[in-house]
Amino acid sequence: GAVVSQHPSRVICKSGTSVKIECRSLDFQATTMFWYRQFPKQSLMLMATSNEGSKATYEQGVEKDKFLINHASLTLSTLTVTSAHPEDSSFYICSARGPAPHEQYFGPGTRLTVT
Amino acid sequence: QQQVKQSPQSLIVQKGGISIINCAYENTAFDYFPWYQQFPGKGPALLIAIRPDVSEKKEGRFTISFNKSAKQFSLHIMDSQPGDSATYFCAARSRLGSARQLTFGSGTQLTVLP
C-alpha cells in the first residue's frame, strides 16, 4: 500500500528557533501534499496545500511566513516552523494524494514541543 | 456548506458488538467519502472509502452505508474488538476546485470493552 513517512517523529526545541519537518511519499509520486495540525482530542486542521514546484496555498489564519512549506519534488515536502513559540507546540501531520483513484494517505505525524 | 457533521463524539461498545458512527453533509459537490482510523500519537490511516454511485461498501468487518438523498453516510464495525479502540474520522472531498482537499468530521472516540 501507499506509505507516507515523516521525520522527525518527535522534536523539542527552544523558543525562537526554527524546526524543519520532512514528509516523503515512499512508493508513489504525489503531485499534491497537505499539511495538517491537530490539537489533543480534536480533528485535523488543514494548514496548507502544496503542489510540486509551485507555492503552497495556505488556509485562512495560517501565517505563511511562520510556516514555510516547500514541495521540492514529487516525493518530498517540508514544513519549517520559523521562530517557534510554545503556542506552536502541536501534532503536525502531512498527507499525500496518490495516483488514481486519488486516495489520500497520511504520515505518522510529528510531535513538536517548544519550550 | 463545507461542514461534515459527525456523531457520536464518543462510543463505548462491548466486544463482539456493532459500532455505528454517523456523518452528514450539505455540500452536494462532495463525491468521495473516506473513513480514517487514528490511534493515539499516530497519523490517520485510511480505513475504507465510498463514492456516491453505490449505497454500500464492505471490507472485512467494516461497512460504509451511503444515503445520497439524505446526504448521510455511516461506518459500521461488525464484531468490534478491543483493538478497534481508536478515534474515527469521516471525511468528504469535493469534485470541484483544483486542490480537492478533504473536509473532516469532528471525530468519534471508540472504546471497545473486553
Side-chain angles (χ1 to χ4, degrees):
Chain A
V3 179
V4 177
S5 70
Q6 261 183 262
H7 179 79
S9 58
R10 289 178 179 271
V11 58
I12 301 172
C13 70
K14 292 187 182 298
S15 185
T17 61
S18 295
V19 173
K20 180 185 282 189
I21 303 169
E22 288 189 352
C23 175
R24 294 181 185 273
S25 55
L26 298 185
D27 49 3
F28 64 98
Q29 293 185 327
T31 54
T32 305
M33 288 187 170
F34 307 87
W35 286 95
Y36 295 83
R37 185 173 181 177
Q38 187 178 36
F39 292 105
K41 297 191 183 300
Q42 291 191 20
S43 190
L44 288 81
M45 183 179 70
L46 180 66
M47 299 175 66
T49 302
S50 72
N51 291 295
E52 184 263 340
S54 60
K55 289 184 179 180
T57 301
Y58 291 82
E59 295 300 298
Q60 192 172 8
V62 178
E63 299 176 59
K64 62 181 182 181
D65 294 331
K66 181 168 190 60
F67 299 99
L68 301 179
I69 292 171
N70 185 7
H71 193 158
S73 75
L74 287 172
T75 59
L76 174 65
S77 176
T78 59
L79 167 67
T80 301
V81 183
T82 63
S83 186
H85 289 97
E87 57 265 30
D88 299 324
S89 298
S90 191
F91 193 51
Y92 292 88
I93 311 172
C94 74
S95 179
R97 181 183 295 149
H102 304 296
E103 309 282 3
Q104 190 168 327
Y105 301 95
F106 286 81
T110 296
R111 173 74 58 194
L112 170 64
T113 303
V114 184
T115 61
Chain B
Q1 266 240 324
Q2 286 295 322
Q3 273 190 323
V4 177
K5 295 183 179 179
Q6 184 172 347
S7 63
Q9 185 175 0
S10 63
L11 180 62
I12 299 174
V13 174
Q14 293 286 342
K15 179 182 175 181
I18 302 174
S19 303
I20 302 174
I21 304 171
N22 301 297
C23 285
Y25 64 97
E26 289 295 325
N27 190 345
T28 55
F30 287 149
D31 69 345
Y32 171 70
F33 304 88
W35 284 88
Y36 289 87
Q37 178 190 56
Q38 186 179 28
F39 293 103
K42 305 294 184 184
L46 179 63
L47 199 58
I48 187 172
I50 198 168
R51 296 187 187 275
D53 51 347
V54 297
S55 60
E56 186 175 282
K57 183 174 181 179
K58 183 176 181 179
E59 290 185 1
R61 296 185 294 111
F62 301 93
T63 300
I64 299 180
S65 296
F66 185 82
N67 186 329
K68 188 174 180 179
S69 60
K71 296 201 282 289
Q72 295 175 349
F73 59 110
S74 60
L75 175 69
H76 296 233
I77 306 174
M78 311 300 287
D79 187 27
S80 298
Q81 299 296 312
D84 297 330
S85 297
T87 300
Y88 292 81
F89 293 97
C90 64
R93 187 175 69 198
S94 173
R95 66 177 183 274
L96 304 176
S98 58
R100 303 191 69 207
Q101 60 262 39
L102 292 171
T103 298
F104 282 90
S106 54
T108 296
Q109 187 164 354
L110 172 65
T111 302
V112 181
L113 301 176

